[in-house]
Amino acid sequence: MKETIDRLRSEGLERIKAAESDSDIEAIRVALLGRKGEITALLRGLKDVDPADRPAMGAELNLLKVDLTALLDSRQCVLRGGGSATNMVGDLTLPGVPPTSGGTNHPLLSVLDSICDIFYGMGFTRDDGPEVELDYYNFTALNFPDDHPARDIQDTFYIDPKICLRTQTSPVQVRTMERNEPPLACIFPGRVYRNENADASHSSEFYQIEGLVVDKAVSMADLKDTVDTFVRNFFGAEEPTRFRPHYFPFTEPSVEVDMQCVSCRGKGCGVCGQTGWLEVMGAGMVHPNVFKAAGYPDDVYTGFAFGMGIDRIAMLKYGIGDIRLLYENDLRFLKQFRGVS
Ligand code: PHE
């Protein structure tokens, strides 16, 4: 067996040196180390070797395997342009094989970046707030009554009775108004948390982006124009939008904004539940009580606010059917977004 090992070592070395492509490397790898490869066969044959010689033979064979694997990797590295051909011969102190593909932005981050860019283009600035938030900012200052169901621990993760994980990015509205004089146009992206059971469309953590505009004489027409500009820019076409009356404690009047289904263009399909419309965000005119909480004179200023789920927007944009895919960090999923923005 010793002679066979020596022969395989010198032949292997010659063949690897002569390899000219990735497929040559793969062919040698299979012939020597594959399931039916020569070295694999020898390793299997160890059980028939004289027990006295077996440990030494096993060690030799393993060394051969390790050396040839290193040589194959090293030659592959050279062939891919990662080093000099004169360095390759079995020097394990050489730098490792360089990664052939770099990392990439997570699809949520790409979507977040492009949403922010659209609003920066309209003159918005950006602000952030804490994810561990006072109940006061998450609810009270936003005009939630004390007995509002969203305050229930069924819906909200409480850390103690006065502190929770924010359930929405809306508390940043109040924090920003406290720190800045009007007029302002600001977006607040970030992670939010809700006490939900995970399924294809729910996750206990997800992302929102909030927008707030305050000035003298800001109207619902300004909100509509801002939303339309966003939808047109993000989804790329003249997607019609519509406002449906809704209720949020911190806006009055409140609406939900729908856009025409990107999949069927309004005809009705599985994506939009046959309605032809997709909900994109909640919005409305800032409630006077929110201005009061933030210290703005509510008889001088008006404003609008909107908030949308980034996960949902990413799912619509890329046709992702299950929100959990965005949080599992499965490389097979993430790699599909390489080069996508
Ligand atoms: N915070 C609301 C939600 O999480 C969305 C919203 C933001 C609605 C701003 C109106 C104005 O559903």
Side-chain angles (χ1 to χ4, degrees):
M1 191 182 240
K2 178 85 175 75
E3 298 78 66
T4 321
I5 293 176
D6 289 345
R7 177 179 59 78
L8 282 176
R9 179 179 290 277
S10 55
E11 277 179 17
L13 186 60
E14 287 313 310
R15 287 176 70 183
I16 294 169
K17 269 204 246 180
E20 287 303 339
S21 64
D22 268 8
S23 54
D24 289 351
I25 296 281
E26 264 336 287
I28 302 168
R29 215 187 279 277
V30 170
L32 294 175
L33 303 159
R35 249 187 322 133
K36 296 186 181 150
E38 288 188 72
I39 296 177
T40 317
L42 286 181
L43 280 163
R44 279 205 197 101
L46 267 179
K47 60 180 183 331
D48 304 322
V49 171
D50 183 346
D53 297 338
R54 210 178 284 157
M57 278 304 141
E60 283 263 343
L61 262 180
N62 267 325
L63 191 64
L64 175 65
K65 192 174 159 179
V66 169
D67 285 352
L68 289 179
T69 305
L71 284 169
L72 282 163
D73 290 348
S74 166
R75 180 68 185 152
Q76 191 163 41
C77 163
V78 170
L79 289 173
R80 289 178 182 173
S84 128
T86 51
N87 278 343
M88 61 145 305
V89 190
D91 181 353
L92 299 181
T93 65
L94 284 175
V97 181
T100 47
S101 56
T104 175
N105 273 350
H106 191 281
L108 277 177
L109 185 59
S110 306
V111 167
L112 178 61
D113 282 348
S114 33
I115 296 178
C116 288
D117 280 345
I118 294 170
F119 286 104
Y120 296 152
M122 288 191 260
F124 283 68
T125 55
R126 171 177 172 160
D127 207 348
D128 294 296
E131 290 175 23
V132 178
E133 184 55 287
L134 291 172
D135 172 273
Y136 171 77
Y137 286 107
N138 198 69
F139 294 123
T140 312
L142 290 169
N143 198 35
F144 278 76
D146 282 344
D147 57 357
H148 192 283
R151 289 178 178 246
D152 199 302
I153 49 166
Q154 299 271 330
D155 299 295
T156 304
F157 290 114
Y158 279 95
I159 288 167
D160 72 26
K162 287 193 168 3
I163 301 175
C164 61
L165 297 183
R166 67 177 178 194
T167 59
Q168 48 186 352
T169 41
S170 305
V172 195
Q173 288 185 32
V174 183
R175 287 182 174 275
T176 299
M177 287 193 275
E178 282 178 346
R179 283 199 306 263
N180 298 281
E181 290 296 319
L184 56 91
C186 207
I187 46 170
F188 322 118
R191 202 187 273 241
V192 301
Y193 302 85
R194 289 193 195 165
N195 197 351
E196 311 248 23
N197 289 329
D199 64 25
S201 47
H202 294 92
S203 159
S204 52
E205 52 181 301
F206 53 100
Y207 283 81
Q208 285 190 335
I209 186 164
E210 187 93 4
L212 174 69
V213 171
V214 182
D215 202 349
K216 290 179 180 150
V218 173
S219 73
M220 199 86 170
D222 298 315
L223 168 61
K224 177 98 170 104
D225 184 56
T226 307
V227 168
D228 284 353
T229 306
F230 162 71
V231 169
R232 270 200 308 275
N233 276 282
F234 187 78
F235 289 98
E238 291 283 320
E239 308 290 354
T241 58
R242 70 175 185 188
F243 280 15
R244 263 183 301 111
H246 198 71
Y247 170 75
F248 297 104
F250 39 92
T251 44
E252 180 58 36
S254 301
V255 293
E256 272 188 336
V257 181
D258 295 340
M259 70 174 202
Q260 202 178 67
C261 177
V262 278
S263 221
C264 64
R265 304 257 168 242
K267 290 193 198 67
C269 68
V271 175
C272 56
Q274 309 304 330
T275 61
W277 294 93
L278 295 166
E279 185 196 318
V280 268
M281 63 175 88
M285 302 305 293
V286 179
H287 196 291
N289 287 350
V290 178
F291 280 148
K292 284 195 187 97
Y296 279 10
D298 64 294
D299 51 349
V300 181
Y301 293 104
T302 54
F304 67 76
F306 58 85
M308 62 187 141
I310 295 173
D311 306 68
R312 197 179 142 68
I313 302 282
M315 289 165 77
L316 287 177
K317 172 133 180 166
Y318 297 129
I320 300 167
D322 192 323
I323 190 171
R324 289 169 292 195
L325 288 167
L326 294 169
Y327 294 92
E328 283 166 353
N329 289 330
D330 185 331
L331 287 178
R332 290 168 304 177
F333 170 75
L334 295 175
K335 276 183 178 161
Q336 298 175 72
F337 299 93
R338 183 167 291 146
V340 171
S341 67

